[in-house]
Amino acid sequence: TEDSGETWIWNGQRWKKREVAPDAQRPSGRTQPAMAYDSLRREVVLFGGMQGIRDLNDTWTWNGTAWTRKKLRESPPAGHGFGFVFDDSRESAVLFGGEFALTLNIDSERDPNLVWLWDGTAWKKKPFQNSGQALLDRTDHAMAFDAVHGNVILFGGSIHGGPDAASDTWLWDGTSWRNGVPPHLELHVERTRKTKVSFSDDGRLIAVSPKISFADHQTSNGTLLWDLATGRVTRLQVDSIGLDSIDFSPVWPIAVATNGGQLQLCRVSDGQCPFKFMEAKSEYRGAWFVADGDELIVWESSGVRRVTLTGKTTRTITAAGKSLADVRLSANRRRIIAIRDGSLVTWDLEGR
């Protein structure tokens, strides 16, 4: 915050204040700074933000123990509300947009056709060209790295000089921005605590929300299956709007959905979900396909089980259901990762 200048760490379950020595370097309190995790150098990078009515342009790194201020020849202009994310494919953090210069009416400092790249040592300007439709300068937008396709994804934000919030999607390939989705296929998802978004291994997207609308103002209440490659949108015929989890098979064109009392298998081709098995003995919290696609890892209130698609063969992984705060499957679908009684535990599904 603007006043505290405190450092807090999130351990997966709760926030914990990290005490920093009074005489140690640390960033001043601020709002709306840009922060990203540099996975190559294993440190958090912080840039800029707003202190009162004054914009900042200092750069800091956090290594898990201490803050270090970087002494630099050149930095992006002071500002706040940037999009900032680490690009694993090009091993640098990407900074774009933001609210700066406008505060001081110094437009010469701000170039809308420019991104800034942080390589762990210095900032570098990166002019870019738009591929097709022009990317408009903006602030308070979301940016994330898509590890499957190797692109940075930008979504939404507030357009400088525009009256409304944007809902467009853009992809950064290290050289240029291109519009990620044709405008008529953009989805506007209303934020609720039940909203779920999940990617298949091949890039197909599922979006779940009680209210989803298209750019042409059509609305749909339910669960949509969106193929990013073709633009096709199919409604998933699950029994409940508020799903707990959705996952795609890495082998078969099917998805699995859990919604508390039920677990359903759905066809990707037409969205139909005719396959139900395992009558609910406890609340389902999630289900994921293992690597070969023939079995599921099912997390329920009684524990975690490994189940064949027929539902006839099950094997208990752990019965400590009440002590599990979270359960996930690794990216290669060969290991279970869970938080149990505040500790991180794993199970190797291949028995090695």
Side-chain angles (χ1 to χ4, degrees):
T1 66
E2 235 175 76
D3 299 324
S4 69
E6 296 173 343
T7 301
W8 290 76
I9 305 297
W10 173 254
N11 65 4
Q13 287 185 295
R14 60 182 65 88
W15 286 100
K16 183 178 180 181
K17 184 178 178 181
R18 178 60 61 90
E19 298 297 338
V20 180
D23 58 343
Q25 283 191 329
R26 75 180 79 185
S28 58
R30 63 194 66 197
T31 58
Q32 292 186 270
M35 294 183 70
Y37 178 67
D38 182 338
S39 57
L40 178 64
R41 301 162 192 91
R42 302 182 68 178
E43 59 187 15
V44 174
V45 184
L46 180 150
F47 173 77
M50 197 172 191
Q51 190 176 55
I53 61 172
R54 183 171 68 97
D55 282 325
L56 307 171
N57 74 331
D58 48 348
T59 301
W60 296 78
T61 59
W62 169 260
N63 63 6
T65 304
W67 287 101
T68 301
R69 180 168 185 173
K70 299 297 184 178
K71 298 180 180 179
L72 307 168
R73 288 185 177 182
E74 186 178 31
S75 294
H80 61 278
F82 301 99
F84 192 35
V85 69
F86 189 74
D87 182 345
D88 285 273
S89 293
R90 286 155 281 274
E91 299 182 347
S92 61
V94 181
L95 184 85
F96 175 77
E99 190 75 40
F100 58 90
L102 294 179
T103 307
L104 303 175
N105 294 317
I106 307 176
D107 289 330
S108 61
E109 289 190 36
R110 183 170 61 82
D111 185 347
N113 295 317
L114 186 73
V115 299
W116 288 84
L117 304 179
W118 172 256
D119 63 6
T121 304
W123 287 102
K124 296 179 181 178
K125 295 179 182 179
K126 179 73 174 179
F128 67 86
Q129 294 182 343
N130 293 295
S131 178
Q133 181 183 353
L135 169 62
L136 299 176
D137 198 12
R138 64 194 64 205
T139 185
D140 297 327
H141 44 291
M143 287 173 61
F145 179 71
D146 179 356
V148 174
H149 302 97
N151 295 317
V152 168
I153 302 174
L154 179 152
F155 175 77
S158 299
I159 303 297
H160 285 146
D164 301 318
S167 60
D168 48 353
T169 302
W170 293 81
L171 306 178
W172 169 255
D173 61 8
T175 303
S176 62
W177 290 100
R178 64 181 174 86
N179 191 252
V181 184
H184 66 284
L185 290 176
E186 290 175 10
L187 296 181
H188 306 262
V189 182
E190 181 178 295
R191 289 186 178 180
T192 74
R193 67 182 186 89
K194 285 293 187 180
T195 299
K196 299 292 180 183
V197 178
S198 177
F199 279 97
S200 64
D201 291 355
D202 62 1
R204 186 171 283 115
L205 172 72
I206 250 186
V208 182
S209 177
K211 185 176 181 180
I212 303 172
S213 60
F214 296 89
D216 59 6
H217 304 299
Q218 297 181 26
T219 61
S220 174
N221 289 324
T223 303
L224 297 184
L225 178 66
W226 186 17
D227 190 329
L228 293 180
T230 64
R232 180 185 178 190
V233 178
T234 305
R235 180 164 179 167
L236 203 63
Q237 302 298 320
V238 292
D239 289 348
S240 174
I241 293 174
L243 299 186
D244 294 310
S245 72
I246 303 173
D247 188 44
F248 293 92
S249 168
V251 179
W252 314 109
I254 56 177
V256 61
T258 60
N259 60 358
Q262 295 189 16
L263 188 150
Q264 297 173 264
L265 293 175
C266 307
R267 294 192 297 257
V268 169
S269 58
D270 59 7
Q272 295 297 314
C273 304
F275 311 110
K276 301 177 186 178
F277 62 95
M278 290 170 31
E279 292 295 329
K281 297 179 181 179
S282 60
E283 181 182 358
Y284 292 123
R285 298 177 180 175
W288 304 269
F289 289 94
V290 297
D292 60 12
D294 293 328
E295 294 180 300
L296 294 170
I297 298 300
V298 179
W299 176 28
E300 51 193 346
S301 56
S302 60
V304 177
R305 292 190 291 164
R306 185 170 181 168
V307 183
T308 61
L309 290 186
T310 61
K312 295 180 179 179
T313 305
T314 68
R315 181 161 63 90
T316 299
I317 303 295
T318 176
K322 293 183 179 180
S323 63
L324 294 174
D326 197 10
V327 177
R328 292 289 185 270
L329 214 60
S330 64
N332 63 7
R333 298 180 179 270
R334 300 183 187 280
R335 183 178 292 273
I336 302 172
I337 304 168
I339 297 176
R340 183 175 65 186
D341 293 327
S343 299
L344 187 68
V345 293
T346 65
W347 292 274
D348 190 336
L349 295 177
E350 296 185 339
R352 295 194 293 269

